[in-house]
Amino acid sequence: MTTLQRFQRGVSAERVAEALRDDGACIVERLIDESVVDALWREVEPFVDVTPTGREDFSGLATKRTGALVARSATARDLVMHPLVLAAAQQFLPRHTAFQLHLTQIIAIGPGETAQPIHRDQWAFDFFPFPKGFDAQCNTIWALTDFTEENGATRVIPGSNSWADGLQPTLDQTVAAEMPKGSCLFYSGSVYHGGGANRSASTRAAANITYALGWLRQEENQYLACPPDVARELPDDLLRLMGYSLGAYALGYVGDLRDPLAVLRQNGNGTGNGTGHGGASLGAGLVEVPVASPTD
Ligand SMILES: O=C(O)CCC(=O)C(=O)O
Ligand SMILES: [Fe+2]
């Protein structure tokens, strides 16, 4: 059985992308300082506390999944924009006009949780059979606690990115992605993996932040998970990654072929309900979409 390749902070994006291509996964140990993890945890803990556990095996009966991290945590935004992650995604993903944030989620696996069924994340796309070697996703799992075999470290099958689709591998085919707090597991949408069983007395916490090609539908709806009033305060590069950009020549335009980022910014000009300057009045019951002014 192959093991997961391990790198240290300072590894190049090329090495990470190469490991993703070869094995479908790799670990970069201690990619962020423990102080960053602690700051992130302070910001998200109130939301995790009130998150209900999952309702079936896949989401996990003793597991909490807390999303909307861009809206809820300034530190999570830094993880979303981590330069190594973005550079690795840029290199790993096949030819693309844009890639985008796919989902943000704290995954807190509580004591007593059983192993999650082994799966490919790309099955989220309605089980579309992507051609072998074509990777639509580049994913991260940041360890917010130490990850151990005992506490539910993610189980991965290195090399299974080249396996046939639709398999149901067993746990004995997997290895535990053990890693210290602050480390990051990079993995593709095509590698077979799953959350581990937690046989310890404490919670295993992670930030799962994933990215996908710009022409796919996002798993977490970023436009609603992060309310427009919050989004307007965010930097352009983060907003573009969240989907306020065109996924290709015309994917995601607004109204009269307008760029979503320009529309978001225009609607924030203090005009309140989105009718903006230059908004066309269409009459009762019709939605007003701001039109571009000659200065836009
Ligand atoms: O929590 C984990 O370690 C992995 C979770 C996972 O793979 C998923 O929810 O898709
Ligand atoms: Fe997964």
Side-chain angles (χ1 to χ4, degrees):
M1 183 183 304
T2 45
T3 53
L4 280 166
Q5 292 189 61
R6 284 174 186 273
F7 304 110
Q8 301 301 315
R9 192 191 300 194
V11 63
S12 68
E14 287 79 8
R15 281 301 285 124
V16 173
E18 193 182 321
L20 283 169
R21 241 171 249 122
D22 289 346
D23 299 341
C26 67
I27 287 171
V28 180
E29 291 189 345
R30 297 189 175 87
L31 184 54
I32 51 172
D33 292 339
E34 291 206 6
S35 60
V36 177
V37 174
D38 295 341
L40 174 63
W41 190 252
R42 272 196 301 279
E43 291 162 9
V44 300
E45 192 175 20
F47 300 102
V48 175
D49 281 347
V50 297
T51 303
T53 53
R55 280 186 290 186
E56 26 63 37
D57 272 2
F58 193 83
S59 54
L61 297 171
T63 297
K64 292 182 173 185
R65 293 166 184 275
T66 308
L69 300 188
V70 171
R72 290 169 163 175
S73 161
T75 306
R77 293 170 200 160
D78 295 338
L79 266 57
V80 167
M81 296 299 290
H82 194 285
L84 178 65
V85 175
L86 297 187
Q90 174 67 25
Q91 300 205 17
F92 173 60
L93 293 171
R95 187 204 64 80
H96 58 271
T97 301
F99 68 88
Q100 62 186 342
L101 186 60
H102 190 48
L103 71 81
T104 65
Q105 189 177 70
I106 300 294
I107 304 181
I109 302 185
E113 181 60 277
T114 54
Q116 185 186 38
I118 302 298
H119 61 277
R120 285 179 154 164
D121 277 2
Q122 68 191 24
W123 286 347
F125 298 111
D126 209 11
F127 298 94
F128 180 76
F130 289 103
K132 197 176 281 191
F134 182 92
D135 275 290
Q137 280 185 265
C138 184
N139 303 328
T140 60
I141 291 182
W142 295 86
L144 305 184
T145 57
D146 287 343
F147 267 37
T148 65
E149 165 122 49
E150 198 197 5
N151 78 2
T154 312
R155 315 285 321 189
V156 186
I157 309 180
S160 61
N161 48 324
S162 63
W163 289 9
D165 207 21
L167 303 177
Q168 292 185 304
T170 52
L171 284 175
D172 58 348
Q173 295 174 277
T174 67
V175 296
E178 293 197 302
M179 52 183 173
K181 174 176 165 179
S183 305
C184 185
L185 170 70
F186 287 75
Y187 68 106
S188 67
S190 55
V191 78
Y192 284 92
H193 71 283
N198 188 344
R199 293 182 298 274
S200 80
S202 49
T203 296
R204 189 230 67 179
N208 188 203
I209 300 176
T210 71
Y211 307 80
L213 294 174
W215 46 265
L216 288 161
R217 181 159 187 189
Q218 288 159 307
E219 193 157 345
E220 180 183 44
N221 187 318
Q222 299 300 324
Y223 312 103
L224 292 172
C226 185
D229 284 347
V230 177
R232 275 184 208 104
E233 303 301 317
L234 300 176
D236 284 2
D237 52 356
L238 174 57
L239 288 170
R240 286 201 190 91
L241 193 64
M242 289 165 66
Y244 291 91
S245 58
L246 298 184
Y249 173 65
L251 299 177
Y253 74 82
V254 181
D256 309 324
L257 300 181
R258 299 194 58 216
D259 185 288
L261 188 55
V263 175
L264 177 77
R265 295 269 183 239
Q266 178 181 340
N267 289 4
N269 285 350
T271 50
N273 61 3
T275 55
H277 60 285
S281 185
L282 301 176
L286 294 177
V287 175
E288 298 186 25
V289 176
V291 299
S293 75
T295 56
D296 275 353

